[in-house]
Amino acid sequence: MSDQNDDPIVPVTPRRMPKAPVEEIGGRKLKPATLMMGHGYDPVLSEGSLKPPIFLTSTFAFENAAAGKRHFEGITGKRPGGADGLVYSRFNGPNQEILEDRLSIWDEAEDALVFSSGMSAIATILLANVNQGDVVVHSGPLYAATETLINKILGRFGVTFIDFPAGASPAEVSTLLEQAKQQAAENGGKVAIIYLESPANPTNALVDIEGVADARNQVFGDDAAPPIAIDNTFLGPLWQQPLKHGADIVIYSLTKYVGGHSDLVAGGVLGSKAHMDPIRAIRNTIGTICDPNTAWMLMRSLETLELRMTRAGENAEKVCAFLRDHPKVEGLGYLGFISDASQQDIYDRHCSGAGSTFSVFIKGGEAEAFRFLDSLKIAKLAVSLGGTETLASLPAAMTHLSVPDDRRAALGITDNLVRISIGVEDPDDLIADFEQALETV
Ligand SMILES: *Cc1c(COP(=O)(O)O)cnc(C)c1O
């Protein structure tokens, strides 16, 4: 539209220019909760629409042929620095890019990538880092599908693994890393990646990320040191930020707390640009990016992330205080009430909150646990976690049914272990529900 207009009926609209992003005021860095409302998006570029439109397009028009060539030089790695514009929706789109900018703020990561699920994120990381003959070192237990991917599927391609229990000391991890180094040399490969999950599900055992990083540095020195990746789904991004404790790659099932409403499936990966670039290249090749609609929903979720997680954490603390002393409860696996000194030490160094997912051991066995679950009136019976609603499940009979009996026993996943993910309901209503359900046991 022209700035000059002689028609008296049509008002003159001066051309609007994008504003510079505001990340601090008066030398004070803005907090993530503030930045979630606008960071990375300027309404001026989208007809003034306050919220980002959902860009439903499979491809993006080049301004000219030379620009098209320049974009592809970036995508294919012929020119360093990546693509400097949007090309094709399997690579990226405006909604996903804004989401990635916002997601990286919480963990203060240099770069972020979003995926169609937590598992597609994890598979893409492994494809980017692992070759034939390599060894994957991982903490245990892992999310069941992750364990299948590392221990069974990668095995078909000549990749082996060595695992250690989540609570292992740095000295034990050192010994295992030496062993892994030797195994890799025998197989003609390298130790490709150290893969952690903390807290472990459903036991809430914590991994000493700093201890693992020290062990890694000591065993491998500066060159050929494998990256440390960690699945931070249970406590992140609010209550644990592993990049600050020596991890290189942070992984989220965004399906859980970040999505937070049990209405989408997505994944995220964060870290330095150097660690993200090879993962992005694999994502570009195989198309594990999330779709624009899901990206838009995740941006809406990020606006209330701190509110939701804070409330869920406060609710869990109240519910656990009630459950702790109940005569029908044998024990609790809740990070707010740790009894082991070394686990407490890890918690104090790494975590700023106990989360809202925990296990409660009902006195008795499966029959008593089933009676408790079937009597719940507010809490829903479902797997997954981190949503606005409270969910309960019995891992031994559901998520961990396929785990062999002896391994399940070693992990402490007993028939009376009920896993609970507390939502944002009224805490006294939740306590009343648990109280009446326990009475039926
Ligand atoms: C749910 C979950 C995953 C898998 O994520 P999806 O989004 O379901 O693919 C991975 N790790 C942990 C810890 C999870 O809870």
Side-chain angles (χ1 to χ4, degrees), residues 117-119 122 143 146 197 231 233-234 253 255-256 265-266 385:
S117 71
M119 283 317 303
I122 294 166
Y143 185 74
T146 309
E197 188 175 315
D231 185 333
T233 299
F234 271 61
S253 167
T255 312
K256 313 296 165 53
V265 172
L385 61 121

Side-chain angles (χ1 to χ4, degrees), residues 144-428:
T146 309
E147 204 149 313
T148 302
L149 189 56
I150 293 177
N151 300 6
K152 297 214 176 85
I153 297 173
L154 286 184
R156 301 200 331 243
F157 304 97
V159 176
T160 56
F161 69 92
I162 291 184
D163 64 334
F164 61 89
S169 71
E172 288 165 329
V173 174
S174 267
T175 309
L176 265 161
L177 288 176
E178 292 286 3
Q179 208 180 313
K181 209 171 161 182
Q182 177 131 16
Q183 185 168 314
E186 284 162 15
N187 295 348
K190 61 184 185 307
V191 178
I193 193 165
I194 301 171
Y195 188 99
L196 313 176
E197 188 175 315
S198 182
N201 174 31
T203 55
N204 267 345
L206 293 168
V207 177
D208 186 346
I209 307 162
E210 287 169 350
V212 170
D214 287 346
R216 187 266 315 262
N217 297 345
Q218 175 206 321
V219 172
F220 292 91
D222 284 338
D223 40 84
I228 296 171
I230 176 165
D231 185 333
N232 196 38
T233 299
F234 271 61
L235 285 184
L238 212 59
W239 298 309
Q240 178 171 263
Q241 299 178 334
L243 295 177
K244 294 170 188 164
H245 302 288
D248 303 298
I249 299 169
V250 167
I251 302 159
Y252 289 111
S253 167
L254 300 176
T255 312
K256 313 296 165 53
Y257 286 99
V258 177
H261 297 72
S262 308
D263 55 6
L264 60 84
V265 172
V269 177
L270 295 83
S272 67
K273 217 174 140 25
H275 282 111
M276 293 305 106
D277 281 343
I279 302 168
R280 189 193 324 271
I282 300 287
R283 189 186 69 171
N284 284 348
T285 304
I286 64 177
T288 40
I289 190 168
C290 82
D291 65 274
N293 190 69
T294 302
W296 189 95
M297 288 171 68
L298 282 162
M299 278 193 270
R300 162 178 277 208
S301 291
L302 281 174
E303 296 183 4
T304 55
L305 179 76
E306 190 176 272
L307 281 176
R308 286 183 286 106
M309 290 185 80
T310 302
R311 169 67 173 245
E314 288 165 3
N315 278 0
E317 197 178 335
K318 290 175 187 163
V319 168
C320 286
F322 163 77
L323 291 173
R324 171 152 71 169
D325 300 321
H326 197 283
K328 302 261 177 81
V329 171
E330 194 178 276
L332 277 180
Y334 169 59
L335 290 174
F337 305 145
I338 298 175
S339 51
D340 179 90
S342 82
Q343 284 284 302
Q344 185 66 47
D345 171 54
I346 299 173
Y347 179 87
D348 293 342
R349 283 184 286 120
H350 291 61
C351 310
S352 60
S356 72
T357 305
F358 58 89
S359 42
V360 51
F361 297 83
I362 306 294
K363 271 189 191 153
E366 189 189 80
E368 285 74 15
F370 272 15
R371 217 170 300 142
F372 171 69
L373 287 171
D374 289 336
S375 306
L376 290 169
K377 293 180 174 165
I378 296 173
K380 304 278 189 304
L381 260 62
V383 297
S384 198
L385 61 121
T388 45
E389 66 286 289
T390 296
L391 300 179
S393 64
L394 194 75
M398 298 169 190
T399 45
H400 293 67
L401 185 66
S402 62
V403 179
D405 288 351
D406 52 345
R407 175 142 172 86
R408 220 189 295 146
L411 295 173
I413 305 171
T414 50
D415 287 341
N416 66 339
L417 185 167
V418 172
R419 193 188 73 177
I420 292 172
S421 166
I422 294 288
V424 300
E425 301 94 336
D426 179 86
D428 294 326

